Amino acid sequence: MLNISQVLSQYNTKIKKISRQPDLESQLILAFVLKKPRSYILAHTDSELSKQQLSITTKLFARRLSGEPLAYLTGEQEFGELSFKVNKYTLIPRWETELMVEQALSLAHNSTNTTILDIGTGSGCIAITLAKKLPQVTVIASDKSARALAVAKINATRHEVKITWLTGNLLQSLIKKINLLPKNTKQLITTANLPYVPSAYLKNLKSKDKIGLKFEPLSALNGGSDGLKYYRELSKQIKHLKNLRPKLIITVLMEIQPGQVGAMQKIFEHNFIIKDLAKKDRLVIANF
Ligand SMILES: C[S@@+](CC[C@H](N)C(=O)[O-])C[C@H]1O[C@@H](n2cnc3c(N)ncnc32)[C@H](O)[C@@H]1O
């Protein structure tokens, strides 16, 4: 039988090769297997694992060592103050996307005249966080992946928020069912963390920094040759929506990679750029 300390040291060197936070990740894997908080792992290093616990631990470490992200092993990812279920059909929410939520919160009025529309909702992390913080506001969320939406719905139930779900390409379903947008909506805040990674970047995913992407849905990452094909299409669809509701004030928040700013400024006329905590251009906000 092995104890916690022995298991940790057994994987220590191996996990360093694929993780930037090897100690933390090893402790979290054991915490998940033992169904205990991480503090328990740190405080009970002499505690022995049962045969079954050891077998599960071995399998999970093997998956992690193959590059699979920790969030897919545990099925959970923290985003802001909440935890979200994730699986292979959903992108793992990233810390930099919390900037989009912060900015949406600073722009949105917590009133029944505001509607939030989250496009490419994935796990639902943006829509659900906003719905929790803005209880007066109607929240609509869409994704083209029905499997991702199924996960988002579970997360909405977990966090007790009401959201209207749509399946389809960007705004198309809303444009077809425009009556879903409450008639009294004056302000439409649209959050869009759409796939924006250039295709070529996704060709070779062997390095430590990129290997995790291999396990995430390509349809959540691949934004075409320059990464901006969905944002281009979105700009056209928004103009269509604006024609249907000319008095609507539409603000769109879009996450990007640093380096895409120039191209985005050509696609979206009235825009400004926000940097993330690492001081990198991360968010384009455009008004219609
Ligand atoms: C980068 S992920 C973002 C997921 C989530 N919003 C987040 O921030 O973690 C992009 C999401 O957009 C969805 N998607 C891709 N193309 C789409 C399209 N044409 N219309 C609607 N959703 C799309 C993908 O299925 C995926 O869930």
Side-chain angles (χ1 to χ4, degrees), residues 132-260:
K132 272 227 108 46
K133 302 249 179 197
L134 301 167
Q136 305 278 336
V137 165
T138 298
V139 180
I140 302 173
S142 80
D143 204 290
K144 76 172 178 192
S145 159
R147 285 173 155 156
L149 274 182
V151 175
K153 286 176 191 173
I154 293 170
N155 282 322
T157 305
R158 176 192 284 189
H159 295 301
E160 299 175 322
V161 291
K162 191 173 160 288
I163 290 178
T164 302
W165 305 101
L166 292 172
T167 317
N169 178 28
L170 306 176
L171 298 173
Q172 264 173 8
S173 301
L174 182 66
I175 287 171
K176 276 191 202 144
K177 297 180 190 167
I178 192 67
N179 287 339
L180 285 177
L181 193 61
K183 286 247 161 16
N184 62 340
T185 302
K186 291 186 180 147
Q187 183 192 35
L188 180 68
I189 302 277
T190 302
T191 48
N193 181 15
L194 291 171
Y196 58 74
V197 183
S199 320
Y201 183 90
L202 296 166
K203 288 258 157 67
N204 182 1
L205 298 177
K206 286 203 183 110
S207 71
K208 187 170 171 174
D209 289 334
K210 289 164 84 178
I211 194 162
L213 294 177
K214 217 169 71 178
F215 295 84
E216 296 193 86
L218 194 60
S219 56
L221 297 167
N222 190 351
S225 58
D226 67 351
L228 300 177
K229 93 171 178 188
Y230 292 109
Y231 289 136
R232 265 190 207 95
E233 193 177 344
L234 180 64
S235 81
K236 291 183 192 147
Q237 291 192 13
I238 288 183
K239 285 173 193 152
H240 190 168
L241 183 67
K242 182 86 181 172
N243 285 338
L244 294 177
R245 292 278 182 96
K247 286 190 185 151
L248 202 59
I249 298 167
I250 308 178
T251 305
V252 196
L253 295 86
M254 293 159 287
E255 189 173 300
I256 54 159
Q257 267 184 358
Q260 292 175 327

Side-chain angles (χ1 to χ4, degrees), residues 76-146:
E76 288 291 322
Q77 178 66 31
E78 304 275 316
F79 180 75
E81 294 157 16
L82 303 175
S83 181
F84 290 88
K85 174 183 162 70
V86 293
N87 66 20
K88 62 180 178 179
Y89 302 115
T90 63
L91 188 94
I92 300 166
R94 306 292 206 268
W95 65 267
E96 54 265 37
T97 305
E98 291 176 28
L99 180 67
M100 182 178 287
V101 172
E102 276 167 31
Q103 291 298 318
L105 283 173
S106 71
L107 293 166
H109 306 292
N110 187 15
S111 103
T112 51
N113 291 334
T114 296
T115 294
I116 301 275
L117 172 63
D118 182 38
I119 309 171
T121 198
S123 62
C125 59
I126 299 169
I128 292 167
T129 307
L130 290 173
K132 272 227 108 46
K133 302 249 179 197
L134 301 167
Q136 305 278 336
V137 165
T138 298
V139 180
I140 302 173
S142 80
D143 204 290
K144 76 172 178 192
S145 159

